[in-house]
Amino acid sequence: MIRTALLAAAATATLATAFAPMASADIIGTPAPCVTAADLTGPDFNVRKCGVSDVDQFRTNLDNNGNAYCGPTSLYNVLHYWGHVKGAPVGWGPTRLGNVDPQKQSDYDLVTASLGKIGFDAKYNGATNLTNLRTAWDIATQPARDAGWQTSRGVVSTLENPDFAGDLARKLNEGPLQLVYGRYKDAPGAYALQRSGGHLVTVVSATGSFGGNTIKLKLADPGRAGDHGEGDYLNTQSAYEALDVTLTRRVFQQYSPAKDDETTAEDESMEPGTYKWVTRWELTGPRYVSDTTRQMVEGFNWFDMAK
């Protein structure tokens, strides 16, 4: 894609600019007050990560003003944590994200270029997916491995998972998570829902019970800036927020319409769709209200590093 190539070229050019390191005591991220928690004992858990950024995805110089850049932006928040809080040398070329402050206007263009680079590495084509975003993580953390760090990452799905709540807490204890939810609308059939889009966010806190059916989270959401649509919002970073949501376990029939096979003369999209029973976790919260869709969490990417 020409635009993708241009974005990558612009990102590489901007990322070549060197920035003076910040003081090691500066932890840029997560609205104050934030007290780190790591309670995984007993039947309940309470895990909280401090120092996670809440970067805006809507920006000038990204494709469609960043409308579909939630994937790269939520991954940037994860990388920011490892660079600022843990001191890992993550980034590209001479740029290390531990030296970048997304809340400083002078670093705004560098953050935008970083999102473009993550998008390029994640094969952005109007959207990104969890698989390719893990590849983008591998690329951004290569300098850390070169410096002797060990890195790991993986994915956890809501499907056929007897303790999604516990898995989320345990993986969050290692580092912030990249969580994906689908937007589901009513579909033909009794209690059937059909996916109509999706969104990715960064998880910074989780409270609940192992084997439980509800979880309370705090999110850094790239798409829900408090100043969205106001003033020069495409060229400025909004104030950081930690948004409260609740996840509730749901079982329903997911409807998938038939798709046309372009290699055949027949239009397969006219055939009946398929149904399957799935387990998802419905996401609700004061900033997540919709009259047309329901937000259903499908899984998350987890990440870990150590030296």
Side-chain angles (χ1 to χ4, degrees):
M1 298 171 59
I2 295 177
R3 181 170 178 81
T4 301
L6 291 174
L7 283 170
T12 301
T14 305
L15 290 168
T17 303
F19 282 79
M22 297 169 55
S24 59
D26 293 339
I27 303 299
I28 308 300
T30 311
C34 180
V35 179
T36 299
D39 183 2
L40 294 171
T41 62
D44 304 321
F45 56 77
N46 180 20
V47 183
R48 186 180 307 112
K49 295 300 180 187
C50 297
V52 184
S53 61
D54 178 30
V55 171
D56 299 339
Q57 73 181 72
F58 293 100
R59 292 165 177 263
T60 302
N61 296 325
L62 291 179
D63 182 56
N64 198 19
N65 288 334
N67 184 64
Y69 267 76
C70 55
T73 311
S74 55
L75 182 57
Y76 182 99
N77 290 333
V78 173
L79 292 165
H80 173 100
Y81 170 84
W82 289 103
H84 276 262
V85 178
K86 298 300 184 180
V90 296
W92 313 268
T95 298
R96 296 293 174 264
L97 295 188
N99 301 333
V100 181
D101 181 356
Q103 294 177 300
K104 289 175 59 176
Q105 187 60 33
S106 58
D107 285 359
Y108 190 84
D109 289 343
L110 181 60
V111 173
T112 303
S114 298
L115 301 184
K117 179 67 167 70
I118 294 172
F120 179 78
D121 292 339
K123 299 185 181 345
Y124 170 85
N125 61 355
T128 51
N129 59 56
L130 289 180
T131 300
N132 290 340
L133 287 164
R134 293 194 298 276
T135 298
W137 156 272
D138 292 341
I139 295 171
T141 56
Q142 185 61 53
R145 287 189 295 279
D146 292 342
W149 289 68
Q150 294 181 331
T151 66
S152 58
R153 82 293 193 277
V155 63
V156 173
S157 171
T158 63
L159 301 178
E160 299 180 359
N161 189 332
D163 190 14
F164 180 76
D167 284 347
L168 188 149
R170 285 184 285 265
K171 290 304 182 183
L172 179 62
N173 194 45
E174 298 169 359
L177 309 175
Q178 184 179 42
L179 179 142
V180 61
Y181 67 77
R183 299 185 181 96
Y184 285 75
K185 62 182 180 180
D186 289 338
Y191 197 57
L193 298 175
Q194 177 181 345
R195 197 181 198 274
S196 59
H199 186 51
L200 290 111
V201 298
T202 312
V203 180
V204 301
S205 174
T207 304
S209 301
F210 292 100
N213 292 321
T214 62
I215 322 170
K216 293 188 179 299
L217 305 180
K218 289 185 181 294
L219 306 178
D221 189 329
R224 281 178 168 77
D227 63 351
H228 181 73
E230 299 177 2
D232 195 25
Y233 77 100
L234 289 174
N235 297 294
T236 56
Q237 170 63 43
S238 66
Y240 284 1
E241 297 180 89
L243 302 184
D244 292 309
V245 300
T246 299
L247 304 190
T248 306
R249 185 176 181 272
R250 306 291 190 198
V251 179
F252 60 90
Q253 287 193 88
Q254 182 170 329
Y255 171 77
S256 298
K259 296 181 179 180
D260 180 39
D261 183 351
E262 296 181 354
T263 64
T264 67
E266 182 182 358
D267 184 2
E268 288 86 358
S269 67
M270 302 301 294
E271 298 177 2
T274 59
Y275 296 84
K276 68 175 180 178
W277 287 99
V278 298
T279 300
R280 305 295 188 197
W281 288 66
E282 185 166 15
L283 185 154
T284 56
R287 298 276 287 276
Y288 295 82
V289 178
S290 173
D291 294 329
T292 58
T293 61
R294 299 169 64 181
Q295 291 93 196
M296 297 291 183
V297 170
E298 299 162 340
F300 61 83
N301 274 340
W302 60 265
F303 308 93
D304 196 10
M305 299 183 69
K307 187 173 183 180

